[in-house]
Amino acid sequence: KAGVTQTPRYLIKTRGQQVTLSCSPISGHRSVSWYQQTPGQGLQFLFEYFSETQRNKGNFPGRFSGRQFSNSRSEMNVSTLELGDSALYLCASSQTPNTEAFFGQGTRLTVV
Amino acid sequence: GESVGLHLPTLSVQEGDNSIINCAYSNSASDYFIWYKQESGKGPQFIIDIRSNMDKRQGQRVTVLLNKTVKHLSLQIAATQPGDSAVYFCAENMIGYSTLTFGKGTMLLVSP
């Protein structure tokens, strides 16, 4: 069974640009969550989706948004990129909320 | 490889020793706890979980202990191997939510 797949693995963007990251959960998993990981702040929750509905959102500005499709795949978008958005963005999937969550390898975003 | 964190607490052990990694969690309402292992350049990997109605759970070479009175979680790794070298995170969440709140992490270094 394939794991959580995140694309792309690496991205370099310029300040002010926008970016879209993709996450394909494990087959059969309907819950997808996104996290940002930086050396200074550690792992911080961005959003959680279940059955195409955003159930919870972390303390991030409105430039960060996401969505989930009917096949449970999810995307997150960051607009007007800032240098501080440079991070590893991780997606986790689980069958339902509050069950075992499995992470993808992440997308390493560098903003220059 | 990419760094997952700077200035992390570090535990250095010899191969074959038993390792104990500790974590203090923050929310007394949390009822589900997970330990993750993260190797350089990879996403967090699920190790073991425990629900609040238990105080101990064992897996293969790993044991998690939960002390709800003092909000403390520990991960014991038996016969530690060089391949166990990684950053270890504890995470907590509440019933019905997939939102994980992560600890800062501990770096485990295993010398042959």
Side-chain angles (χ1 to χ4, degrees):
Chain A
K1 184 155 136 172
V4 179
T5 304
Q6 290 188 246
T7 56
R9 287 293 313 279
Y10 302 93
L11 265 179
I12 300 176
K13 289 287 188 178
T14 305
R15 272 180 299 175
Q17 286 187 311
Q18 68 97 27
V19 67
T20 299
L21 313 181
S22 179
C23 172
S24 293
I26 292 171
S27 178
H29 285 195
R30 293 163 59 198
S31 179
V32 173
S33 298
W34 288 89
Y35 293 82
Q36 181 196 65
Q37 186 174 31
T38 59
Q41 299 299 318
L43 279 148
Q44 292 189 292
F45 169 73
L46 280 158
F47 359 78
E48 175 201 351
Y49 290 90
F50 179 67
S51 295
E52 300 179 69
T53 301
Q54 186 180 90
R55 285 169 41 91
N56 206 359
K57 189 177 193 300
N59 189 24
F60 279 83
R63 300 185 296 107
F64 291 80
S65 63
R67 57 179 175 167
Q68 186 180 34
F69 302 96
S70 58
N71 62 358
S72 294
R73 192 177 70 83
S74 177
E75 288 181 347
M76 67 162 282
N77 185 279
V78 188
S79 62
T80 320
L81 284 164
E82 300 177 0
L83 295 179
D85 297 332
S86 295
L88 180 66
Y89 289 87
L90 291 158
C91 167
S93 80
S94 56
Q95 287 187 324
T96 56
N98 198 231
T99 57
E100 198 173 318
F102 297 88
F103 282 83
Q105 300 248 61
T107 294
R108 170 71 60 183
L109 172 65
T110 302
V111 183
V112 297
Chain B
E2 296 135 344
S3 170
V4 299
L6 300 176
H7 311 300
L8 290 174
T10 300
L11 174 64
S12 296
V13 301
Q14 294 286 322
E15 182 178 2
D17 287 352
N18 295 331
S19 302
I20 299 176
I21 300 171
N22 296 303
C23 174
Y25 64 91
S26 56
N27 190 345
S28 56
S30 293
D31 58 2
Y32 180 51
F33 306 88
I34 311 171
W35 280 99
Y36 285 94
K37 170 187 180 184
Q38 188 173 26
E39 297 172 284
S40 184
K42 297 184 178 180
Q45 176 189 353
F46 176 93
I47 301 174
I48 192 167
D49 59 0
I50 188 168
R51 297 203 179 266
S52 59
N53 61 351
M54 303 173 69
D55 52 24
K56 180 179 179 179
R57 189 159 188 234
Q58 289 184 289
Q60 188 176 16
R61 281 201 308 118
V62 294
T63 300
V64 56
L65 299 177
L66 174 63
N67 185 330
K68 295 181 286 294
T69 303
V70 295
K71 293 191 287 187
H72 184 268
L73 199 63
S74 69
L75 176 70
Q76 300 177 359
I77 305 173
T80 315
Q81 303 166 0
D84 294 328
S85 294
V87 177
Y88 289 81
F89 294 95
C90 65
E92 58 181 299
N93 80 350
M94 294 187 291
I95 288 180
Y97 293 90
S98 282
T99 305
L100 294 171
T101 300
F102 283 85
K104 293 296 183 186
T106 296
M107 183 172 290
L108 176 65
L109 297 174
V110 184
S111 306

